[in-house]
Amino acid sequence: NVYKNHLYLCRAKKTIEQKMKRSLLAHYLTVAIRSLERYKTQSIISIAGLAVGFVCLALSSVWIRYENTFDNFHPGADRIYMVQDKGLGEMNSTYRVPITYAGLSIALRHEYPEVEAVTVCYFGSSYNEKFGYKLPARCVQADTEFMSMFSIPLLEGEVHADVQKDFGCTLLSDEYARKRFGVESAVGKPFNANFDGWLVEGVVKGLHHSCVAFDMLILMPVMETVEEGQDYGVSQFVRLKKGIDPRDFEAKLNAIDNETLRKGEIKLIPIHRANRYLKSVALHKDNLSLEHLRFFQLVSVLLVAC
């Protein structure tokens, strides 16, 4: 009997506590609603400010994460760098691209054992006629090392060993090929109505979320010589061997005392940050930068706190 009475009291106590909790919750909700009704203006400002603050904070955080994850999918992406010669400035074109002397790529390929691979490229744009209207195309002209540097798979056609011809070896991304030629195969078809000899020779997997994304890729021979007095600017990417400190290698490049290889300070830009130096990427309008996004994120945090 004592045990039964004790069990009964425990159950009764638990039931009373649950009823009290429900009663207190209803009481708190009632007080909160009355408080909101009493201070309507303040309540509206607080709720709206909190909502806007959370939305802005989420948006800026996602955007910053997007900007910091460019080209993180390449094999060895943590060892790939874009090379910039600050003495050469920027190309005076539609694209804002860090450049170096073309001869530097030859030196990096043959004279620096720290380098695992190197490729040079040029960024541009083109218009492609289709049924009376134009399709804009992002063009990248690069040497044949570009394919292996960024692990671009060939889906259709072939890459000819002899690319030393008028237009090089023209490859299209799979998405652009569908836009240009529909369900038909693009291989063997003329790319531009104005040049009958400019034929598509292959289709490759397009790059997304990348600073080297392209619609059309034109492959040229690997550069081995540069005539004296014919130095010109190219965009250049290197992949260092494992265990190489990029800062030490950067200092080694800045020790080059040859005006045909280096004009100013050499800087190695990690591949995930290279997009910030390219005007073709959406973020990089003349009036917007990553610093603005971070400031926007800070303001969002302050808004939520207030």
Side-chain angles (χ1 to χ4, degrees), residues 23-275:
S23 178
L24 287 175
L25 179 60
H27 172 70
Y28 291 148
L29 289 176
T30 302
V31 172
I33 292 172
R34 288 176 179 175
S35 179
L36 292 175
E37 291 176 347
R38 182 178 302 174
Y39 307 103
K40 290 183 179 179
T41 303
Q42 180 181 338
S43 299
I44 292 173
I45 293 174
S46 298
I47 295 172
L50 190 62
V52 171
F54 274 122
V55 170
C56 294
L57 179 60
L59 174 62
S60 58
S61 299
V62 170
W63 196 343
I64 289 175
R65 182 181 181 279
Y66 174 84
E67 291 297 325
N68 288 328
T69 54
F70 267 77
D71 290 288
N72 63 351
F73 53 88
H74 301 298
D78 58 326
R79 297 181 284 118
I80 300 178
Y81 298 86
M82 190 175 194
V83 187
Q84 178 186 24
D85 188 335
K86 290 187 174 181
L88 296 179
E90 299 171 345
M91 294 180 68
N92 184 20
S93 65
T94 305
Y95 292 82
R96 187 176 63 190
V97 183
I99 59 175
T100 60
Y101 279 135
L104 181 62
S105 66
I106 303 173
L108 289 175
R109 185 176 291 110
H110 297 291
E111 301 176 17
Y112 292 86
E114 299 93 339
V115 176
E116 185 175 89
V118 57
T119 184
V120 299
C121 60
Y122 309 88
F123 296 92
S125 60
S126 176
Y127 286 93
N128 185 0
E129 297 289 344
K130 179 188 176 184
F131 305 125
Y133 64 90
K134 293 183 177 181
L135 285 176
R138 295 169 297 175
C139 300
V140 173
Q141 183 177 351
D143 59 30
T144 51
E145 295 295 325
F146 186 89
M147 294 276 288
S148 58
M149 170 76 78
F150 298 107
S151 299
I152 302 173
L154 183 67
L155 303 179
E156 187 181 1
E158 59 181 333
V159 177
H160 297 290
D162 180 17
V163 295
Q164 301 185 36
K165 49 187 180 178
D166 293 339
F167 304 110
C169 180
T170 302
L171 307 173
L172 299 183
S173 69
D174 52 346
E175 291 185 357
Y176 191 81
R178 285 193 296 270
K179 292 179 182 178
R180 176 67 179 85
F181 299 101
V183 296
E184 298 180 2
S185 174
V187 177
K189 291 185 172 60
F191 176 78
N192 194 304
N194 299 322
F195 301 96
D196 294 335
W198 192 351
L199 303 179
V200 177
E201 299 182 52
V203 177
V204 297
K205 184 68 176 177
L207 296 176
H208 296 276
H209 201 41
S210 170
C211 68
V212 291
F214 59 86
D215 297 314
M216 178 177 66
L217 175 62
I218 302 177
L219 295 182
M220 305 298 290
V222 174
M223 190 181 303
E224 291 293 349
T225 59
V226 176
E227 296 181 8
E228 186 176 355
Q230 296 296 319
D231 291 322
Y232 50 91
V234 297
S235 296
Q236 189 170 160
F237 293 88
V238 298
R239 184 172 65 229
L240 302 181
K241 293 181 179 178
K242 293 182 179 179
I244 300 299
D245 188 336
R247 300 284 75 83
D248 292 342
F249 184 66
E250 189 176 76
K252 186 175 181 179
L253 293 180
N254 282 310
I256 295 175
D257 187 16
N258 187 336
E259 292 185 356
T260 62
L261 299 180
R262 179 177 74 89
K263 183 176 182 180
E265 179 187 357
I266 297 292
K267 182 179 179 182
L268 295 181
I269 305 169
I271 186 68
H272 70 273
R273 292 177 51 199
N275 67 295

